[in-house]
Amino acid sequence: FRSEDRKRRQDAANPEPSSRPSPGFSRFKVVESSEYDSEEEQQVDTTDEEDRRGKEACRVIRVAEDMRTVQNFLGTKSDIAEACSPPRMTAEGRSMGLRCGFAFDLSVPDVDGTNWDFSKRSCRQRAWKLLLEQRPYMLVGSPLCTPWSIIQNLNMMTPEGKKKVMEERKKSAVHLRFCVAMYREQHRHGRYFVHEHPQTSEAWKTSCMEDLVNEQWTYSAQADMCQFGMKDKDGYHVRKTTRFITNSACIAGRLEKRCDGRHDHRPLV
């Protein structure tokens, strides 16, 4: 990630008139298969394909070695960790052989059996201590979005409902601000973070999120989650447009995926 981010910043500072692939697209062209008239030509093509695969494998190994070198320099003790989320990314990362760190969430008990409720100062202090100890290379944050959903506008149509929603948002804002503080700590020490929330979430209008979005070192991306295989329990595609904020241009490019409309969607309620 770091080497690609450095190149993107250099390209941005020195733009060239030549065409350049947009962030998130592979640098390698997909070669269309074609018909060959002879077995000799087909054998040559097979050899070229083997060479290409060999070079790609070597490139992947070099990238992995470079990433591990950077991680050792930064003193990271985990490759990925999660905040305000049950073990999802860490569980997937573990299956891929990554070093996975903490997963702070209300549904995940602490070592003493209590849940990670960041509205409590003691929980925030414990979480911050773990962040400083583990120094994760990538921190993924997914704070609770329910209080910030546009559906809450229906509940705010009555004075009682509005009061309840505002109280829930006040509690949730503590979690949100703490996540942003962890993101800034990650960036301050040369590490990465990704924050995700629905595009329509009212949380994007909070001061802590607006300040983070307006930083020169953050990148924004939008994705329709159907492009990552999201479906409901009946197997229908779910669009759920989601917004991401990260300090990695490479990650932002990979996350930028919009639906081309080739399939139907079923809304989540």
Side-chain angles (χ1 to χ4, degrees):
F1 298 151
R2 185 174 300 279
S3 60
E4 291 195 33
D5 284 347
R6 187 182 301 111
K7 185 177 185 304
R8 292 187 186 283
R9 294 183 187 279
Q10 292 174 350
D11 291 343
N14 302 285
E16 298 178 1
S18 58
S19 60
R20 183 179 292 116
S22 60
F25 285 87
S26 172
R27 290 196 180 94
F28 299 94
K29 295 182 178 179
V30 178
V31 181
E32 297 287 342
S33 60
S34 58
E35 298 293 334
Y36 292 92
D37 297 328
S38 67
E39 293 183 359
E40 182 179 355
E41 288 179 328
Q42 191 168 0
Q43 180 64 38
V44 171
D45 179 69
T46 302
T47 302
D48 291 342
E49 178 64 18
E50 291 176 351
D51 289 343
R52 188 192 68 79
R53 291 180 179 179
K55 291 179 181 179
E56 174 65 9
C58 291
R59 188 193 71 85
V60 171
I61 293 174
R62 287 197 301 270
V63 169
E65 292 175 346
D66 291 344
M67 187 175 73
R68 190 62 66 195
T69 299
V70 171
Q71 289 175 328
N72 291 336
F73 175 77
L74 295 174
T76 61
K77 295 183 180 179
S78 64
D79 297 321
I80 187 170
E82 296 180 85
C84 295
S85 172
R88 293 192 185 106
M89 301 296 293
T90 49
E92 184 69 20
R94 192 169 287 109
S95 69
M96 300 169 64
L98 297 178
R99 301 175 303 170
C100 297
F102 54 76
F104 300 142
D105 190 66
L106 287 169
S107 64
V108 181
D110 191 5
V111 290
D112 62 357
T114 60
N115 292 333
W116 288 102
D117 184 358
F118 291 151
S119 63
K120 299 179 180 179
R121 184 178 181 182
S122 59
C123 281
R124 296 198 301 270
Q125 290 176 334
R126 292 177 184 176
W128 193 262
K129 182 180 179 182
L130 280 176
L131 178 68
L132 298 181
E133 290 176 353
Q134 294 190 12
R135 299 185 290 274
Y137 190 61
M138 172 63 71
L139 176 64
V140 181
S142 306
L144 185 66
C145 61
T146 303
W148 308 97
S149 171
I150 57 174
I151 297 179
Q152 296 294 344
N153 293 337
L154 298 176
N155 297 326
M156 296 179 69
M157 296 178 67
T158 64
E160 297 80 8
K162 183 176 181 179
K163 181 180 179 181
K164 184 177 180 180
V165 171
M166 297 309 293
E167 288 177 351
E168 291 296 322
R169 287 184 177 179
K170 184 177 180 180
K171 294 178 182 178
S172 181
V174 178
H175 294 250
L176 199 62
R177 289 193 296 269
F178 185 65
C179 281
V180 172
M182 289 193 288
Y183 301 155
R184 291 183 178 277
E185 178 70 11
Q186 284 286 107
H187 179 73
R188 187 179 300 115
H189 294 281
R191 304 189 297 267
Y192 293 105
F193 73 86
V194 175
H195 171 89
E196 69 89 11
H197 240 215
Q199 170 64 26
T200 56
S201 171
E202 292 292 319
W204 293 111
K205 299 178 182 179
T206 60
S207 58
C208 65
M209 288 308 307
E210 287 184 339
D211 290 343
L212 185 66
V213 170
N214 291 329
E215 293 287 2
Q216 293 183 351
W217 42 266
T218 58
Y219 305 85
S220 179
Q222 292 186 35
D224 295 323
M225 298 310 292
C226 59
Q227 297 302 292
F228 293 98
M230 186 175 184
K231 296 181 180 180
D232 64 10
K233 62 181 180 180
D234 296 322
Y236 288 91
H237 293 281
V238 175
R239 185 187 296 273
K240 192 186 179 184
T241 304
T242 301
R243 185 179 180 185
F244 301 89
I245 293 295
T246 176
N247 60 336
S248 168
C250 176
I251 293 294
R254 297 297 177 90
L255 291 173
E256 184 75 29
K257 287 189 177 183
R258 306 309 301 270
C259 182
D260 57 11
R262 295 184 180 181
H263 54 245
D264 297 328
H265 300 92
R266 177 179 286 185
L268 289 176
V269 179

